[in-house]
Amino acid sequence: LGSCLGSAFGGCVAAGCCKLASAGDVTSDQAARCVMLWLQVFAAALAWIASATPGKWLPGSCDKLGDVGLGDLGVCACRAGGAGGEPALECWSDQLVYRAEASCVILFLALLVMCASGCASGAAKAHAVAKFMFVFLLGVVFLFLPNAMFSAFGWVATSASALFLVAQTLLLIDFAYSWNELWYSNALEAHRRSISQTGYRVWLGAILGASAVLFVGSVALCAYLYTATSDVASRAIDISALVLALALLVVSILDWCPHGALLTSVVVMAYAMWLVYEALGLLPDHQGPRCPTWIG
């Protein structure tokens, strides 16, 4: 009876998963872009959750595999220590991030191949739920593959991120200009429509408020990095980045800089300090701030 019920339940689950995987078609280009964005968010969230909780579920799972002589299979090899003798928990955390992100990269590469072969519409707009299921299920499969594969993936991804930073910076500057122009346009529209000028002042206050938050956050991050590092070179990089960003901020709000904007400049300042944080987080022997693997 138990085997019959199990077979029936398994069949129902399989049919439900197949039906669910075929759902989620979108019709507009904007919706397709949103799906691509949320796929990246999902992969990052999956990497964060997995890397933050390996000690709660991996040891027991590896013990079960050990009972059948597979205790060192895949990610379980971290129990003997990672590369360079890193602790098991740290090895697990890094390897789980690599696996989650590798599954997302493979999905996007597959979609790219489909687009190049003439299936762009189907690749972008069909079976949105299946894409999320693919990232999760492939990540589970990757748990059983050797750590060396994903350590190599992590090295390649880290090296390639230098090129990605250039494109990311351009996109960020474009976003910052668009943000500033949208809010300032709203302020001008309120200025034309309202006699009391309340709406105009609200939008200008929002621009100044957002700028203040980003500015204070940048200074606070600079102070944190200064205290978190002890060597002179790291502190010099930290202070130099803030001083240079502050100098460019002052230049951008002067009258002779026609395309300068306060909000845009503080966005770039915050981004510059974030890059310093990521760079110092890669210092050997944990001499700098600890930067979680899933964010950079």
Side-chain angles (χ1 to χ4, degrees):
L1 178 60
S3 60
C4 292
L5 291 175
S7 299
F9 179 75
C12 290
V13 171
C17 288
C18 291
K19 188 66 177 179
L20 184 63
S22 64
D25 292 358
V26 297
T27 56
S28 66
D29 292 340
Q30 183 178 2
R33 287 193 292 268
C34 286
V35 170
M36 298 299 115
L37 173 62
W38 281 108
L39 275 171
Q40 298 177 63
V41 173
F42 175 74
L46 186 64
W48 175 72
I49 293 172
S51 65
T53 60
K56 296 181 178 180
W57 56 279
L58 269 178
S61 302
C62 293
D63 289 339
K64 295 294 185 183
L65 290 174
D67 293 339
V68 293
L70 299 175
D72 292 330
L73 179 66
V75 74
C76 292
C78 284
R79 293 198 298 180
E86 63 179 327
L89 282 177
E90 185 175 343
C91 175
W92 273 332
S93 179
D94 292 346
Q95 290 295 328
L96 289 173
V97 169
Y98 296 154
R99 283 161 165 80
E101 296 301 334
S103 62
C104 187
V105 168
I106 289 177
L107 171 64
F108 277 104
L109 288 177
L111 294 176
L112 179 62
V113 171
M114 293 174 65
C115 291
S117 60
C119 304
S121 179
K125 299 179 179 179
H127 306 319
V129 176
K131 296 181 176 74
F132 289 90
M133 295 175 63
F134 178 86
V135 171
F136 176 78
L137 294 176
L138 188 60
V140 173
V141 172
F142 281 168
L143 293 176
F144 301 95
L145 298 183
N147 287 340
M149 293 176 52
F150 300 98
S151 296
F153 167 79
W155 183 85
V156 172
T158 301
S159 303
S161 64
L163 299 176
F164 173 74
L165 283 177
V166 177
Q168 187 182 58
T169 302
L170 295 176
L171 290 173
L172 183 76
I173 293 174
D174 180 69
F175 163 76
Y177 269 114
S178 299
W179 183 12
N180 182 78
E181 290 174 2
L182 175 63
W183 281 18
Y184 190 65
S185 298
N186 291 340
L188 294 178
E189 184 67 21
H191 180 69
R192 286 192 293 266
R193 292 184 176 184
S194 175
I195 299 177
S196 64
Q197 305 303 311
T198 301
Y200 175 72
R201 296 191 184 95
V202 168
W203 280 110
L204 289 185
I207 294 175
L208 293 176
S211 301
V213 169
L214 291 170
F215 179 81
V216 172
S218 301
V219 174
L221 181 57
C222 177
Y224 164 72
L225 294 176
Y226 187 87
T227 58
T229 54
S230 56
D231 61 297
V232 177
S234 299
R235 289 182 169 181
I237 292 173
D238 178 36
I239 297 297
S240 299
L242 182 66
V243 171
L244 180 60
L246 184 59
L248 294 176
L249 168 63
V250 173
V251 170
S252 71
I253 60 178
L254 296 178
D255 291 338
W256 60 271
C257 184
H259 300 292
L262 175 63
L263 183 57
T264 303
S265 298
V266 292
V267 168
V268 175
M269 173 185 284
Y271 180 64
M273 295 312 304
W274 170 256
L275 292 181
V276 173
Y277 169 69
E278 285 195 316
L280 297 184
L282 297 175
L283 289 174
D285 301 324
H286 304 295
Q287 297 178 10
R290 176 59 178 157
C291 184
T293 308
W294 62 274
I295 59 175

